[in-house]
Amino acid sequence: MSIVPSNLQHAPDYAWEVATLFPQQGYWSEEEYLSLTDSTNARVEFVDGRLEFLEMPTEIHEELLELLYEALKAFVTDRQLGKVRFSGIRVRTLPGKTRRPDVVFLSKDNFNLRHNRDWDGIDLAVEIVSDDPKDRKRDYEEKLAEYAAAGIAEYWIVDYQDRVVTVNKLVGDQYAEQCRFTSGDQATSVLLDGFSIDVKELFEAADKLAD
């Protein structure tokens, strides 16, 4: 099935033939999604046969990601608790849904969920929210419900725009907001006892890139 708009199928100077190699939105299989994302650096997620293209990361986003990843990795590695990965590992959350959280943690007790191309689950997800309204809705609403349904024990939402780190803890089959941490607070994990991030220092590091 062609994904080329009918009014543009005969437009000159475009390689529309390439587009005809791919399924229409809503008809992608999981294997087709994996094959596509095996060969591109584009930030793409898979939801019920559709591809969701995420915002390309800004330098502020990458600074926050780097700080969070390095802190979490150091904590987990020192205690030999499991694996930490960042922005790229594909995580199958529910049937027909694959996400690419900014930072993930998987405990060693759940290493059976690891595979080379994607993982079948994680214990903790971190999403860094952009100022794009669609991205904010995805992280605050859609992924909040989806990650809970997938049984992800803890979900951090890092919001540079509002300067808040929200830690959500899984209770039953939905999240309870553990705390909203702001400047002056240490954002702490429920799952990883002893892990914390200084919220003021985190956002001030990103502020230096915004000047």
Side-chain angles (χ1 to χ4, degrees):
M1 294 184 182
S2 171
I3 63 171
V4 181
S6 59
N7 64 320
L8 295 177
Q9 287 178 359
H10 303 292
D13 302 324
Y14 294 95
W16 293 119
E17 293 86 353
V18 175
T20 65
L21 300 175
F22 300 102
Q24 288 183 333
Q25 284 283 46
Y27 291 91
W28 284 77
S29 69
E30 184 175 352
E31 181 56 38
E32 287 168 333
Y33 161 75
L34 290 173
S35 295
L36 176 72
T37 50
D38 277 344
S39 57
T40 178
N41 290 326
R43 302 176 72 231
V44 186
E45 296 182 332
F46 178 66
V47 181
D48 299 329
R50 299 177 62 85
L51 303 185
E52 289 193 358
F53 292 83
L54 308 183
E55 291 290 304
M56 289 304 293
T58 62
E59 189 175 3
I60 287 175
H61 177 282
E62 295 298 270
E63 180 74 8
L64 293 170
L65 185 151
E66 182 180 356
L67 292 169
L68 288 160
Y69 167 73
E70 289 182 349
L72 185 58
K73 182 174 175 60
F75 182 90
V76 167
T77 301
D78 183 60
R79 292 159 180 78
Q80 299 183 335
L81 299 176
K83 290 288 184 182
V84 178
R85 295 286 185 256
F86 66 95
S87 197
I89 193 71
R90 293 166 294 196
V91 179
R92 186 181 295 105
T93 54
L94 298 171
K97 291 181 170 61
T98 299
R99 298 295 189 177
R100 298 177 69 172
D102 286 311
V103 183
V104 302
F105 161 70
L106 182 68
S107 70
K108 61 183 180 182
D109 291 339
N110 290 323
F111 275 4
N112 61 298
L113 301 176
R114 296 169 61 205
H115 307 287
N116 189 44
R117 297 176 80 193
D118 57 3
W119 289 3
D120 286 332
I122 52 176
D123 294 290
L124 186 151
V126 179
E127 296 286 6
I128 301 167
V129 188
S130 78
D131 56 3
D132 179 76
K134 290 186 297 183
D135 188 55
R136 298 180 70 81
K137 183 177 187 295
R138 183 187 293 115
D139 289 341
Y140 273 109
E141 298 178 25
E142 296 169 15
K143 288 186 177 180
L144 187 74
E146 184 179 321
Y147 288 175
I152 298 173
E154 191 165 302
Y155 175 32
W156 286 42
I157 303 175
V158 179
D159 192 333
Y160 177 73
Q161 178 176 303
D162 289 348
R163 304 184 81 81
V164 170
V165 175
T166 304
V167 175
N168 300 287
K169 174 187 176 182
L170 189 64
V171 179
D173 59 356
Q174 58 186 336
Y175 284 122
E177 186 178 290
Q178 186 69 18
C179 193
R180 287 169 57 86
F181 298 99
T182 59
S183 182
D185 295 332
Q186 292 284 327
T188 57
S189 171
V190 179
L191 178 66
L192 298 172
D193 185 31
F195 177 72
S196 66
I197 288 284
D198 187 296
V199 176
K200 183 173 184 289
E201 290 182 1
L202 177 68
F203 290 131
E204 284 186 348
D207 287 339
K208 297 175 182 177
L209 302 174
D211 294 338

